[in-house]
């Protein structure tokens, strides 16, 4: 379904298959809901701003062309893709079990003030596929300009949590990471836990992660398997109490009901040659 505003502008897209449904706002091509067998599996803050004036706090914000301010503090933190309205790319697959839609963003749609800082031509195609109890999201990044440029990218996925004391991330054992939490103070560490749990602020950047498959426990009966496609890094985040107080669109009531497991390329920038294409993404499956 295509939901439009009173001027006929496309606001959001709703798709469903036999087991699941999803909603994607044109603003940031932000997927804000993925309901499988009646259970919402993504977290969307009750205070999320949905009118296009701020990045949506929850679902799967798309981080491009930079993670935090890794390229330049002159661009918005996490880049401009999640705060720009994308174009509708249409329906690619439409069967009872499989629904695939796509969204497009090029430099033509981006606020000129950002292109003064990051003066490059690009075309992003974001593809969302509902397939049974799986949700695939993939980002295809093409350099349509006449010089190479550097970028980070990441799918900043917020997972819904029923009981944080049971929640955890499995599969990052033995990986190198940077602990960017206040306590970690940017230290480089090696993960020695089979299950990463959330008992304080967690903000870890796992880099050059060879593993591709991870099991997320969320306190709900069914776990979520994540397949990381091409992207080398994983960020795990829960702001906990103090940081939550400083996020007006998150509030103190949110942190017990979420954590972020974010696949991306953030540790090192990727250099994309003229006409080159980089594609990466994730497959989430309720098991
Ligand atoms: O999740 C990784 C992270 O970089 C955290 O440090 C935190 O800043 C989070 O992204 C959210 O950033 P945002 O700009 O959406 O508030």
């Amino acid at each position: 379904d295509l939901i439009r505003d009173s001027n006929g502008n496309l606001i959001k897209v709703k798709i469903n298959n036999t087991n699941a449904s999803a909603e994607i706002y044109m603003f940031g091509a932000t997927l804000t809901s993925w309901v499988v067998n009646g259970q919402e599996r993504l977290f969307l803050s009750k205070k999320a701003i949905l009118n296009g004036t701020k990045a949506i706090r929850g679902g799967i914000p798309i981080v491009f062309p930079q993670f935090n301010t890794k390229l330049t503090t002159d661009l918005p933190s996490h880049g401009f893709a999640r705060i720009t309205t994308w174009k509708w790319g249409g329906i690619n697959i439409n069967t009872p079990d499989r629904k695939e839609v796509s969204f497009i963003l090029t430099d033509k749609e981006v606020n000129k003030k950002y292109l003064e800082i990051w003066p490059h031509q690009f075309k992003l195609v974001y593809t969302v596929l509902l397939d049974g109890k799986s949700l695939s999201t993939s980002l295809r990044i093409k350099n349509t300009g006449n010089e190479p440029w550097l970028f980070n990218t990441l799918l900043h996925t917020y997972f819904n949590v029923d009981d944080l004391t049971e929640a955890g991330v499995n599969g990052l054992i033995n990986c190198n990471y940077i602990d960017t939490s206040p306590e970690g103070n940017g230290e480089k560490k090696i993960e020695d836990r089979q299950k990463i749990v959330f008992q304080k602020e967690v903000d870890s950047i796992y880099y050059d992660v060879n593993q591709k498959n991870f099991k997320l426990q969320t306190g709900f009966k069914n776990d979520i398997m994540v397949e990381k496609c091409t992207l080398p890094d994983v960020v795990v985040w829960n702001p906990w109490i103090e940081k939550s107080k400083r996020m007006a669109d998150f509030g103190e009531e949110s942190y017990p009901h979420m954590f972020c497991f974010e696949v991306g390329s953030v540790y090192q920038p990727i250099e994309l040659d003229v006409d080159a294409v980089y594609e990466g993404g994730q497959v989430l499956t309720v098991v």
Side-chain angles (χ1 to χ4, degrees), residues 57 67-68 77-78 82 156 158 203 235 237 243 262:
R57 178 67 65 192
F67 178 73
N68 281 338
S77 182
H78 288 335
R82 67 175 185 167
H156 199 294
Y158 288 73
D203 198 346
V235 177
W237 180 56
K243 188 156 192 178
E262 313 159 23

Side-chain angles (χ1 to χ4, degrees), residues 77-140:
S77 182
H78 288 335
F80 46 68
R82 67 175 185 167
I83 53 173
T84 302
T85 297
W86 290 49
K87 294 188 302 183
W88 173 230
I91 301 171
N92 308 338
I93 301 172
N94 191 356
T95 70
D97 238 12
R98 291 163 58 87
K99 290 283 187 311
E100 183 180 278
V101 293
S102 66
F103 303 83
I104 297 167
L105 184 70
T106 75
D107 48 282
K108 306 286 178 296
E109 288 85 49
V110 171
N111 190 314
K112 298 286 170 285
K113 67 184 176 185
Y114 301 139
L115 295 178
E116 279 160 20
I117 299 156
W118 196 79
H120 303 301
Q121 289 73 45
F122 64 88
K123 178 174 183 180
L124 305 184
V125 179
Y126 185 54
T127 304
V128 175
L129 166 66
L130 278 184
D131 180 3
K133 294 191 282 186
S134 287
L135 168 69
S136 279
T137 51
S138 183
L139 187 63
R140 184 179 180 281

Side-chain angles (χ1 to χ4, degrees), residues 217-279:
Q217 294 167 275
T218 59
F220 289 108
K221 178 170 160 297
N222 302 86
D223 295 336
I224 293 178
M225 296 305 293
V226 182
E227 179 189 353
K228 172 169 68 69
C229 310
T230 310
L231 296 161
D233 308 326
V234 171
V235 177
V236 179
W237 180 56
N238 185 299
W240 211 247
I241 300 165
E242 286 319 306
K243 188 156 192 178
S244 297
K245 289 177 180 171
R246 299 198 296 270
M247 297 189 288
D249 61 353
F250 191 77
E252 298 174 52
E253 69 282 0
S254 290
Y255 79 90
H257 301 289
M258 57 70 71
F259 64 80
C260 286
F261 181 92
E262 313 159 23
V263 300
S265 178
V266 301
Y267 182 63
Q268 303 283 8
I270 293 174
E271 179 168 43
L272 200 57
D273 288 333
V274 173
D275 290 336
V277 172
Y278 180 89
E279 181 145 18

